[in-house]
Amino acid sequence: MRVEKIALNGFRNYEWETAEFGSGTNVISGHNAQGKTNLLEAVYMLSAGRSFRTRFDKELIGFGYSSAEILADVVSHDRSQTINILLRQGFAKKILVNGVKKSAGELSQVINTVLFCPDDLNLIKEGAAVRRRLMDNAISQIRPRYGEILSEFNRLYEHKSRILKDWREKPSLLDTLDEFSDGMCRASAQLIRYRAAFAARLDQAAAPIHSEFSGAGEELSISYSTVSTVKNIYGSAKEIYYDICEHQEKHRQAEIESGQCLTGAHKDDLEIAINGKAARSFASQGQTRTAALSIKLAEREIFLAETGEYPILLLDDVLSELDTKRQEFVLNRIGGGQTLITCCEDEEISSRTGGRVLFVEKGRIR
Ligand code: ATP
Ligand code: MG
């Protein structure tokens, strides 16, 4: 999969500009605040129909403009395709693939990206929610059924949380508590099976990447943790369901008293360790970056195995804080599909890549 050419019209700080990308590594270089991340954001839009930086499409429209347009030639599934995204103040966005109207969700059937941005360092250092989001995003892209179960689970979770929060004012709410708990146990069992399989694949794919990337043969390991009573995370949905019910029964009273859901897949996590030590507590800045990026690269390998094509890899600001050896890995040894890497204007870095270099200055690309 690759994007060959992109034209931006009134998008962020791009008045009217086009860029052509090579099929391998592309380094997007420039000083701060020139439009490097904006360019990456536009490519990300092609796969997701939305930004990774804002929920509000109107923020993407250039200051003083009433509309913005992204037009791109991409190649995927051995086909040349055009994607056109039109944003207008006060109107819903319009997405066309080869001239045919599509929803934002349908873009993932045309082109996929794996993005690494500075926020992804939270994968290693922050709470479990970030790691659950990683699992949820990745699995729902390759297993549409997972997305459906997840929505159902979230619906049940919200409803049950409301019961637990409000029952003191309205005790009759408790009449339906067990029904929601049971639904959550069933949906959790299904989510756990998908997540356990995904985590195992992620672990398998990330370990060799991290080992090579670190140069020092550091050992990265990822393991999945879920409801404590689940004996076999690879078991059948029925077995897992019974195990969760056991936890639910033990915690029913505590849930009512504390007003919180204590049983279910909403507390799942990935435990990430480097050389056997919890990365969250012990990883250095460089190690944190290396581990987070290795996980993203592993996600890309899983995609390849599933779809037969590498998604486009978007790396925003990964090079800072990495030593020369680790930078060299990012610049020249990622290999496989197309990669777009932003970095701060640095002749030295640009000269060290075998790929194409694009210089960005005040919304112009050369
Ligand atoms: P850094 O190296 O600091 O990350 P960058 O090159 O990645 O810089 P961008 O995030 O791409 O910088 O932003 C470039 C400029 O675009 C910023 O000055 C920002 O204020 C501007 N900008 C953001 N949104 C809009 C918009 N809607 N209209 C016009 N300009 C915008
Ligand atoms: Mg930037």
Side-chain angles (χ1 to χ4, degrees):
M1 266 174 204
R2 59 183 193 272
V3 50
E4 296 195 308
K5 193 171 170 184
I6 195 164
L8 304 175
N9 188 1
F11 180 85
R12 294 277 195 191
N13 70 331
Y14 290 95
E15 264 178 47
W16 171 249
E17 186 56 296
T18 58
E20 284 180 33
F21 300 103
S23 57
T25 302
N26 295 266
V27 173
I28 301 166
S29 171
H31 292 297
N32 292 134
Q34 301 304 307
K36 303 182 297 295
T37 304
N38 292 347
L39 182 58
L40 228 55
E41 187 179 34
V43 175
Y44 182 87
M45 291 278 296
L46 302 173
S47 66
R50 58 175 174 81
S51 165
F52 60 87
R53 294 204 284 186
T54 174
R55 288 191 294 125
F56 306 106
D57 287 339
K58 62 173 188 238
E59 289 180 12
L60 304 171
I61 300 175
F63 302 144
Y65 283 70
S66 58
S67 67
E69 190 177 11
I70 305 172
L71 190 62
D73 295 335
V74 304
V75 177
S76 73
H77 313 298
D78 290 327
R79 258 182 85 194
S80 294
Q81 316 209 51
T82 61
I83 302 176
N84 184 353
I85 301 177
L86 187 67
L87 309 166
R88 272 190 301 164
Q89 298 275 13
F91 291 86
K93 76 188 135 207
K94 197 162 141 193
I95 299 170
L96 300 173
V97 177
N98 305 323
V100 180
K101 218 172 152 200
K102 299 276 175 187
S103 69
E106 285 172 310
L107 284 174
S108 67
Q109 291 154 30
V110 183
I111 204 111
N112 305 109
T113 55
V114 166
L115 166 79
F116 178 92
C117 63
D119 280 353
D120 287 316
L121 298 176
N122 296 340
L123 264 179
I124 311 297
K125 291 286 180 181
E126 291 293 310
V130 193
R131 290 177 290 278
R132 280 196 300 275
R133 207 176 312 132
L134 169 95
M135 291 194 271
D136 291 344
N137 286 340
I139 306 171
S140 34
Q141 284 198 60
I142 50 179
R143 297 275 183 272
R145 175 82 187 112
Y146 180 86
E148 291 165 24
I149 302 165
L150 185 65
S151 312
E152 171 66 1
F153 176 83
N154 288 336
R155 188 187 67 81
L156 293 163
Y157 173 74
E158 272 165 36
H159 208 124
K160 182 174 164 184
S161 300
R162 225 173 309 131
I163 295 174
L164 290 170
K165 202 170 124 272
D166 296 342
W167 70 269
R168 279 175 223 271
E169 282 102 79
K170 205 171 165 215
S172 66
L173 282 174
L174 285 180
D175 297 348
T176 54
L177 178 66
D178 291 339
E179 195 184 314
F180 282 99
S181 293
D182 187 62
M184 265 183 73
C185 291
R186 276 176 207 282
S188 291
Q190 297 197 58
L191 293 181
I192 287 169
R193 295 189 74 223
Y194 280 105
R195 287 177 178 176
F198 175 78
R201 290 177 79 178
L202 198 65
D203 177 53
Q204 224 175 22
I209 295 171
H210 186 96
S211 168
E212 193 194 340
F213 192 173
S214 63
E218 278 177 14
E219 200 180 305
L220 177 75
S221 70
I222 300 167
S223 61
Y224 173 55
S225 72
T226 184
V227 183
S228 61
T229 50
V230 175
K231 291 179 215 73
N232 176 15
I233 52 171
Y234 306 112
S236 69
K238 202 165 160 188
E239 281 172 294
I240 299 175
Y241 166 70
Y242 286 136
D243 287 349
I244 304 176
C245 288
E246 186 189 322
H247 190 275
Q248 178 62 64
E249 270 159 44
K250 280 193 209 140
H251 291 80
R252 186 178 186 275
Q253 200 51 37
E255 284 189 327
I256 295 173
E257 280 159 23
S258 68
Q260 283 180 11
C261 295
L262 301 175
T263 298
H266 58 291
K267 294 160 84 79
D268 285 2
D269 199 358
L270 290 172
E271 281 161 16
I272 301 170
I274 299 172
N275 295 337
K277 298 272 180 297
R280 196 172 168 190
S281 318
F282 299 109
S284 74
Q285 276 164 304
Q287 278 178 322
T288 300
R289 218 163 253 267
T290 308
L293 186 57
S294 298
I295 291 171
K296 289 285 170 168
L297 293 174
E299 207 183 313
R300 186 171 157 265
E301 295 297 331
I302 294 174
F303 247 98
L304 172 70
E306 285 291 325
T307 66
E309 276 186 275
Y310 273 117
I312 301 168
L313 182 63
L314 305 175
L315 304 176
D316 194 19
D317 248 345
V318 297
L319 296 175
S320 49
E321 281 173 16
L322 291 181
D323 59 33
T324 347
K325 259 185 6 215
R326 293 185 192 214
Q327 284 185 348
E328 153 69 18
F329 177 88
V330 176
L331 289 168
N332 295 315
R333 274 186 294 150
I334 288 181
Q338 187 181 45
T339 306
L340 275 50
I341 311 173
T342 68
C343 70
C344 272
E345 177 96 51
D346 188 335
E347 295 298 336
E348 192 254 338
I349 283 182
S350 313
S351 67
R352 273 167 39 212
T353 172
R356 180 184 292 238
V357 183
L358 295 88
F359 291 96
V360 177
E361 193 178 357
K362 291 187 187 146
R364 310 287 335 196
I365 300 165
R366 72 190 151 80

